[in-house]
Amino acid sequence: MIDTSALRESICKTFCGDLAVKILPSGIAVTTTFRDAASDPIACFIEQDEGGWYMADDGHFLSDTVARGIDIQTGSRKAFLDRILAPTGAWCDLINFEIRTHTQQTVPHPDEILQFITALVRARDVTFWSRERIKSTFKDDAYQAL
């Protein structure tokens, strides 16, 4: 029999083991256990402007994606990112190359922070889309459907 309480505790330790929350001059940094393609931790910054608080990523994902020639400003990649980010109230700010949320009056609730971090992790899937990979997947799905 599996001890679900011990399993839950172990998963929570693993999930939160590398989690760090740090006060910065501009706000709060939340560093997660999740890693990007360069093995750097995915981070969320909670910052304050004249209207209140907003969340943003570190700016590396969008700038790296655009620099690699991946079009995220039009078509299905943009639609995918918009769908992933919409529940968090976030969007791709391609002027500052960051993913950020709208400003709100209070510091985001932990649930909102976790949802934003989840969106940052999921957004990275768009970099795996290539014509060859999509074509191959479509072909496999079509064969299986037939």
Side-chain angles (χ1 to χ4, degrees):
M1 188 61 140
I2 297 174
D3 181 357
T4 56
S5 295
L7 180 59
R8 181 186 186 285
E9 187 176 321
S10 178
I11 291 170
C12 287
K13 264 187 191 175
T14 301
F15 183 74
C16 295
D18 291 336
L19 183 72
V21 178
K22 186 176 182 180
I23 301 296
L24 302 173
S26 62
I28 303 165
V30 179
T31 306
T32 71
T33 189
F34 302 109
R35 304 285 173 183
D36 63 15
S39 294
D40 293 326
I42 295 175
C44 162
F45 296 92
I46 304 164
E47 299 181 332
Q48 194 171 23
D49 64 16
E50 59 278 347
W53 295 89
Y54 67 93
M55 292 181 284
D57 71 347
D58 59 13
H60 292 163
F61 170 66
L62 291 180
S63 60
D64 288 349
T65 302
V66 171
R68 291 173 48 200
I70 299 172
D71 178 16
I72 55 172
Q73 297 182 45
T74 61
S76 58
R77 286 188 181 99
K78 180 183 182 336
F80 173 78
L81 288 172
D82 289 347
R83 279 192 314 274
I84 295 299
L85 300 175
T88 68
W91 76 95
C92 294
D93 176 354
L94 293 173
I95 294 171
N96 297 306
F97 289 103
E98 66 182 6
I99 296 174
R100 65 160 290 165
T101 63
H102 295 284
T103 302
Q104 60 187 42
Q105 294 300 312
T106 59
V107 174
H109 189 271
D111 289 346
E112 294 172 303
I113 297 167
L114 185 57
Q115 188 177 21
F116 182 69
I117 290 168
T118 301
L120 295 180
V121 172
R122 290 188 65 207
R124 278 141 175 87
D125 288 349
V126 80
T127 61
F128 294 110
W129 295 11
S130 67
R131 184 177 306 271
E132 294 75 25
R133 186 164 294 163
I134 300 297
K135 185 177 176 182
S136 171
T137 303
F138 176 79
K139 182 178 173 183
D140 292 346
D141 290 347
Y143 279 133
Q144 195 164 20
L146 294 174

